[in-house]
Amino acid sequence: MSTHNITSSGVSLSRSQPPALAASFLSRKHLFNLFESNVPGATLVIAPAGFGKTTLVAQWVKENDRPTFWYTADVTDTIQDFQAHVIAAISAHFPNFFINVDQLEHFEPGESIKLLAAAVGRLDGEYNFVIDAGPADNNNLAPYAQLIIDNVPSNSHLVIIRRNSPMTSLARYAAIGNLSVITTAELKFSKEEVEFIAAINGVDLTENGNAQELAMCEGWPAAVQLICRNIAKGNSHTTFLAASAANVNPLGILAIESYNTFSQATREKLRKLAIIEEFDLEIASLILGRDYSEELLNRIAMDGLLVTASTTVNRTYRFNPIIYEALTQIPLEDWDQKQVVQEKLAELFVQRGELSKALHFAYESGNKEQFAKMFRSSVRQMASIGRGDLLIKWADFAGDASAHGEVMKKSIRVVGHLVSSDFKSAEALATELEYIAGLSPEGKLLYRISAMVKANVYFARGDFERTTQCLDIALLNLESDSELDSTDLRALLRLRARQAFLHDDFTALADAYATATSLPPDGDHQLSSYQLLCMQSMLLYSEGQYLQAAEISHIAISQALQAGYVGINGPLDAMMVLARAQLEASDLDNCIQTLNVLMTEGSRWKIWPWFLMAQGTITRIHISQGAISAGSEAITSQRAFLRTLYTPNQLSWIIDMSEVFLRLTTSDWSRAEELIKRMPRIDLVRQIEANVQFSKDPKKVAAMIDALPERTVREKINKWLSEVSINLKNENVALKSLNKALALGAENGYYEYFIRQSAMYPLIVKAAAAKPTIYLEGLVQAMTERLHTINSDSGELEEKLTQRELEILKHLTTGNPISAIAKSLHISQNTMKTHLRNTYRKLEADGRYSAVEKAKKLLLI
């Protein structure tokens, strides 16, 4: 995911940068010595509201030489919001920082925190990381708080701003003596500071008991400033002491009194603006309409007491939390345009892609029709970009307290868990929906929704049998479907196409694509177009049109990156197509790069078929280049990983593909045959079965090849190369078929397919000599290099082991003494020692254990 997409949607830039300091701000540089200065180190600033914590830290970072990454929390932030704001903060200093960093937007939270911290840790220099916890604890972030603190890199100084003591431990900093805590005792105004605030507000401390009034504040900065403001505006003395004695928030009372010092017109504007805590000029203009005045906003922000302005290019304004809390308590009954404004704000935030804010204002407006419409479209968008956290958050608003409403809420929650790759919860909720289906008049729809969810869950786990069963239920009576719109149906058909693509079931793939293109054009047009492109890329590849497949897959991947489609909606299928097309073009470096990204995404979202298929393709590339030992070790590692997946699956055949390829390369026919018998009839298996059939009945080979289909590019080239293989001794006939295959291959991006035909190398050289095109010359060069690599790097022994030496090697694995092995083989110990010396020499081993290990890597035993 590009950094642009991470930071452009739902990120408040003012919360990812230090707040601007008002011109009237009282400098408190004398407190800077309270901050811990070392790196790594931490400073904890703890005090109730109104003690100037944030402004003090903002001044400190402004004067500090270290760059600062700033995050101000909001009570509604999810862990994804935290991540996006931190990314925006880092990008403000290092715009190109994320070019060479793993995609982070939709990582599993714990992993993303560690990777992000590690990336910052690799930066040169030292940095400040400020977390302003805001007015209230965030329950969404609380489970990750300790993890965040523990992973702050050693090149960073951590500053935490809170109203109360954190539950997290800062022991890592205390242990090295680099922890400082600043509390109310240090943050209180001194006598001199109170006198200064009074002076700049024109308050005479010798008159009207002003000094006694301010003394009641006991140095509370916000209270001192608000009282001075009120006195300066000519207000009567506050009820500060009475409010404190009555356990009423005195700052709230002072805030209202400060608010009341403005004119009636200004108060009305401020109260209207307070329907949102943070706003920019466009939002302010929408709220205030004809009363909008940028000059007024800047004048209020200049003061800095009620509203602060950001330092960003696109200026944003944010209410002082104390003022905001007070203003939201003032009723707005006389604002007849409130609902209209909220509806317009909802539409604006939809355009900006800030779906959670859009839903908030649609809900607050009371316009049930707008909310329902927006919620439906937002559900699909949030699902497509993997924001299951938002779906779960808003699920409670999906319906009322009726039975139907409760079902709607459950349906949204199950989708939320699904797109977050919480497959265990998704499966459990889907099963619950099935139970409800039996009791509800909407039973048929609920049963299909459950099948949709489970189909995706089972595919991600590699449980292909149950995926098929669920797809059959979800896609039943497709021709007369009126319950699901076309976008949902295309998503299901794409899932069917994905499964067909993995299993080389080209007929099923073509049928799924044809059905998807025939559906009516309703639903989400952008998402539908993207789904069709992914399916088309798979179809083109299956037909052997590699150049077109690569082009279409590129477009699909670009659309996904731009729109933010990830997880079960991500372009993993298109990435596999692109990688295979790059492989067929012998663009191996880019192919492996694409496959590594696919492995990362497959692992991140726990969609194991794509992960294993990408991993297996890399393994087969290495084997084709002669890396037999590395290939064998990779296969062993993959099988070990598969054993860690405890849910039912049919994934072992994906690893079998690589082992079959390896066994055929090393001429281990018996093991290859054993593996093929348990594999599905993928293209590799069908080709091997055809070769076996040819060898069993050589007289019928020509007729069998003549009967092969020629509908697609792939089928034509396969058929023509089969004709070449049976006519290698009849060069003219073979060249005729080969030239047809090469001509069609050149048009469609075939390189690797021909390079693998090592038996045809002399003929391809002759074809290139007769018609020296750039394509053919490049092909011959690539084949020559590959053959040279295989011969030099295959790991095969220069001197073959004898049958007796192989037999002895197998006995060495038992751990039995040499004398016992000699006895069981009916040979003398001297003969045994001679065989061992020869075996060790050929294997370049220094003893029985290293000989066994080397033999295993070479698949000799």
Side-chain angles (χ1 to χ4, degrees):
M1 188 62 55
S2 69
T3 305
H4 171 76
N5 281 333
I6 294 173
T7 59
S8 63
S9 177
V11 171
S12 165
L13 292 181
S14 64
R15 292 203 289 123
S16 59
Q17 295 189 13
L21 299 173
S24 59
F25 169 72
L26 174 64
S27 175
R28 309 196 75 189
K29 289 185 178 180
H30 64 283
L31 299 178
F32 286 2
N33 67 308
L34 299 175
F35 285 80
E36 175 57 49
S37 58
N38 291 326
V39 171
T43 300
L44 185 58
V45 186
I46 309 174
F51 272 83
K53 306 180 293 296
T54 299
T55 48
L56 172 64
V57 176
Q59 186 187 16
W60 177 77
V61 300
K62 185 177 180 182
E63 300 289 333
N64 195 279
D65 292 334
R66 294 191 291 254
T68 296
F69 310 139
W70 187 291
Y71 165 63
T72 300
D74 186 274
V75 71
T76 63
D77 278 354
T78 64
I79 190 63
Q80 288 88 351
D81 295 322
F82 163 80
Q83 180 180 304
H85 281 84
V86 173
I87 287 172
I90 298 171
S91 298
H93 293 280
F94 303 98
N96 298 319
F97 175 66
F98 289 93
I99 291 176
N100 296 315
V101 177
D102 287 336
Q103 302 172 32
L104 296 169
E105 185 183 18
H106 297 286
F107 266 44
E108 184 276 324
E111 184 183 2
S112 70
I113 290 167
K114 293 176 183 178
L115 288 172
L116 183 57
V120 174
R122 291 192 292 270
L123 290 171
D124 293 330
E126 298 179 346
Y127 306 91
N128 300 315
F129 178 31
V130 178
I131 301 177
D132 187 345
D137 285 337
N138 182 308
N139 293 329
N140 297 322
L141 300 182
Y144 304 100
Q146 190 64 58
L147 183 66
I148 291 169
I149 289 172
D150 290 344
N151 282 278
V152 172
S154 296
N155 64 347
S156 299
H157 179 87
L158 174 65
V159 180
I160 300 176
I161 306 170
R162 289 184 57 87
R163 288 189 179 183
N164 49 34
S165 296
M167 299 297 291
T168 48
S169 169
L170 294 169
R172 62 177 287 206
Y173 301 112
I176 57 175
N178 289 350
L179 173 64
S180 177
V181 181
I182 303 174
T183 65
T184 54
E186 294 84 19
L187 294 173
K188 286 180 178 179
F189 276 165
S190 65
K191 181 175 178 291
E192 292 75 19
E193 286 176 314
V194 172
E195 291 173 351
F196 180 80
I197 293 295
I200 63 175
N201 280 280
V203 175
D204 190 339
L205 295 179
T206 64
E207 295 181 353
N208 303 323
N210 292 338
Q212 290 83 351
E213 182 82 15
L214 289 171
M216 295 176 190
C217 299
E218 297 182 342
W220 195 345
V224 170
Q225 291 175 314
L226 287 170
I227 287 178
C228 286
R229 166 64 61 81
N230 292 342
I231 295 173
K233 293 287 185 178
N235 272 16
S236 59
H237 285 281
T238 70
T239 55
F240 181 81
L241 185 59
S244 297
N247 202 27
V248 176
N249 180 9
L251 290 183
I253 293 175
L254 292 175
I256 295 298
E257 290 186 351
S258 294
Y259 166 76
N260 287 331
T261 64
F262 289 94
S263 68
Q264 177 66 26
T266 300
R267 290 203 303 272
E268 287 183 4
K269 292 173 185 175
L270 286 170
R271 182 60 195 95
K272 289 176 181 177
L273 287 170
I275 67 170
I276 186 169
E277 188 171 3
E278 182 181 85
F279 55 89
D280 55 24
L281 295 178
E282 183 180 12
I283 292 172
S285 175
L286 189 152
I287 293 172
L288 298 177
R290 289 178 296 178
D291 295 330
Y292 167 73
S293 168
E294 184 177 351
E295 181 186 357
L296 172 65
L297 292 177
N298 290 331
R299 190 166 68 248
I300 295 172
M302 181 76 71
D303 179 84
L305 188 62
L306 272 69
V307 175
T308 57
S310 72
T311 55
T312 56
V313 176
N314 298 319
R315 206 171 202 205
T316 58
Y317 303 83
R318 189 175 182 85
F319 278 102
N320 178 309
I322 299 169
I323 299 294
Y324 183 71
E325 289 174 16
L327 290 181
T328 54
Q329 304 306 311
I330 303 173
L332 268 171
E333 291 90 351
D334 57 341
W335 189 18
D336 57 358
Q337 291 296 303
K338 181 181 178 182
Q339 179 179 341
V340 174
V341 168
Q342 289 172 324
E343 291 171 356
K344 289 181 178 179
L345 284 172
E347 296 292 345
L348 175 64
F349 285 121
V350 167
Q351 294 171 15
R352 293 186 177 186
E354 298 182 50
L355 302 180
S356 196
K357 288 182 180 179
L359 289 172
H360 167 77
F361 282 106
Y363 182 79
E364 289 293 320
S365 74
N367 185 333
K368 293 182 179 179
E369 183 179 346
Q370 183 197 36
F371 178 78
K373 179 181 178 182
M374 195 169 288
F375 189 81
R376 282 195 299 271
S377 62
S378 297
V379 164
R380 178 171 285 120
Q381 188 171 352
M382 287 187 283
S384 67
I385 62 174
R387 291 307 300 267
D389 58 314
L390 294 182
L391 286 172
I392 296 168
K393 171 183 173 181
W394 280 100
D396 287 336
F397 299 89
D400 53 28
S402 67
H404 171 77
E406 291 301 320
V407 168
M408 288 295 295
K409 295 173 187 178
K410 289 182 186 295
S411 299
I412 300 301
R413 286 194 196 98
V414 71
V415 174
H417 288 295
L418 174 66
V419 300
S420 297
S421 291
D422 181 2
F423 297 131
K424 184 177 180 180
S425 297
E427 184 181 20
L429 284 172
T431 301
E432 190 176 339
L433 281 181
E434 288 178 3
Y435 173 76
I436 296 171
L439 308 173
S440 170
E442 300 169 320
K444 182 182 176 184
L445 175 60
L446 294 179
Y447 201 56
R448 291 185 69 186
I449 291 173
S450 173
M452 288 173 61
V453 171
K454 287 188 172 182
N456 281 284
V457 169
Y458 296 145
F459 178 83
R461 293 173 175 170
D463 190 346
F464 300 120
E465 291 176 0
R466 287 202 283 182
T467 302
T468 300
Q469 293 169 5
C470 290
L471 283 173
D472 289 343
I473 294 169
L475 291 169
L476 192 64
N477 298 323
L478 195 61
E479 301 78 9
S480 57
D481 201 301
S482 59
E483 294 173 321
L484 302 176
D485 70 20
S486 295
T487 306
D488 293 327
L489 294 173
R490 285 194 183 94
L492 289 167
L493 288 165
R494 180 184 171 200
L495 185 58
R496 174 156 279 174
R498 285 168 161 174
Q499 184 155 302
F501 177 70
L502 288 174
H503 288 81
D504 295 332
D505 188 348
F506 304 141
T507 301
L509 172 55
D511 289 344
Y513 178 69
T515 305
T517 56
S518 68
L519 294 173
D522 57 9
D524 186 325
H525 299 296
Q526 181 183 11
L527 183 56
S528 291
S529 172
Y530 158 74
Q531 290 169 337
L532 288 173
L533 282 173
C534 291
M535 295 174 71
Q536 185 184 10
S537 70
M538 290 186 282
L539 180 64
L540 287 169
Y541 180 86
S542 74
E543 294 175 344
Q545 300 183 62
Y546 300 142
L547 292 178
Q548 297 92 323
E551 181 181 358
I552 296 300
S553 62
H554 259 303
I555 296 171
I557 293 168
S558 297
Q559 284 191 4
L561 289 173
Q562 185 174 3
Y565 300 144
V566 294
I568 62 170
N569 291 294
L572 305 188
D573 42 10
M575 292 172 70
M576 190 70 238
V577 170
L578 177 61
R580 287 185 174 181
Q582 289 168 332
L583 173 60
E584 292 302 336
S586 279
D587 185 4
L588 299 185
D589 290 340
N590 282 323
C591 171
I592 291 174
Q593 182 178 347
T594 302
L595 290 168
N596 279 323
V597 174
L598 180 53
M599 283 177 61
T600 299
E601 291 299 301
S603 175
R604 178 176 307 160
W605 293 99
K606 303 173 188 174
I607 306 178
W608 302 121
W610 298 120
F611 171 82
L612 287 170
M613 189 61 78
Q615 194 176 49
T617 305
I618 292 175
T619 300
R620 292 190 292 279
I621 289 172
H622 291 157
I623 293 170
S624 71
Q625 294 175 327
I628 302 299
S629 297
S632 177
E633 290 173 0
I635 292 167
T636 301
S637 175
Q638 289 157 26
R639 295 204 187 280
F641 168 77
L642 193 59
R643 288 193 291 273
T644 68
L645 303 181
Y646 298 112
T647 52
N649 64 76
Q650 297 93 50
L651 291 168
S652 61
W653 66 267
I654 297 179
I655 304 173
D656 288 345
M657 286 176 64
S658 298
E659 188 175 347
V660 166
F661 191 79
L662 185 146
R663 298 294 175 175
L664 294 177
T665 302
T666 57
S667 303
D668 187 350
W669 310 114
S670 59
R671 174 60 177 167
E673 186 178 358
E674 177 186 331
L675 292 167
I676 288 167
K677 287 178 180 178
R678 71 188 194 192
M679 291 174 63
R681 294 192 75 255
I682 59 172
D683 203 34
L684 174 66
V685 173
R686 292 195 293 265
Q687 289 179 19
I688 293 171
E689 287 177 346
N691 290 336
V692 171
Q693 188 64 30
F694 292 164
S695 63
K696 285 182 178 179
D697 201 348
K699 293 181 179 179
K700 295 183 179 180
V701 169
M704 291 178 185
I705 292 175
D706 190 55
L708 291 174
E710 297 183 60
R711 294 164 298 186
T712 67
V713 172
R714 177 193 292 268
E715 289 174 346
K716 289 176 181 177
I717 291 179
N718 277 343
K719 181 172 183 175
W720 293 334
L721 289 187
S722 296
E723 291 172 352
V724 174
S725 65
I726 64 170
N727 288 294
L728 287 175
K729 295 181 180 179
N730 192 341
E731 192 173 286
N732 291 334
V733 175
L735 277 172
K736 183 178 179 181
S737 297
L738 179 61
N739 285 329
K740 288 194 296 182
L742 290 171
L744 189 58
E747 294 174 9
N748 289 278
Y750 278 69
Y751 276 92
E752 190 66 23
Y753 194 78
F754 291 119
I755 290 172
R756 291 195 291 267
Q757 313 302 321
S758 56
M760 300 180 191
Y761 176 68
L763 274 181
I764 293 176
V765 171
K766 289 189 175 182
K771 192 177 181 181
T773 64
I774 294 175
Y775 169 77
L776 288 176
E777 288 181 350
L779 182 60
V780 168
Q781 182 179 352
M783 287 189 77
T784 304
E785 291 174 356
R786 178 70 57 80
L787 289 169
H788 175 74
T789 300
I790 291 172
N791 290 335
S792 59
D793 298 334
S794 65
E796 292 184 1
L797 300 176
E798 291 184 10
E799 188 177 352
K800 298 289 184 180
L801 295 174
T802 66
Q803 193 61 37
R804 175 63 83 180
E805 289 164 351
L806 283 170
E807 196 173 7
I808 289 172
L809 261 178
K810 291 176 182 178
H811 280 277
L812 290 179
T813 63
T814 63
N816 292 333
I818 298 298
S819 57
I821 296 174
K823 187 175 182 180
S824 67
L825 294 174
H826 306 291
I827 57 176
S828 69
Q829 287 202 36
N830 287 335
T831 303
M832 180 70 177
K833 290 177 181 178
T834 301
H835 284 312
L836 285 174
R837 281 196 299 271
N838 290 334
T839 302
Y840 294 163
R841 174 178 54 79
K842 292 176 181 179
L843 288 171
E844 296 180 357
D846 57 6
R848 70 180 291 172
Y849 296 108
S850 60
V852 167
E853 287 303 310
K854 182 73 177 290
K856 284 181 178 179
K857 288 182 179 180
L858 293 173
L859 299 177
L860 297 174
I861 55 175

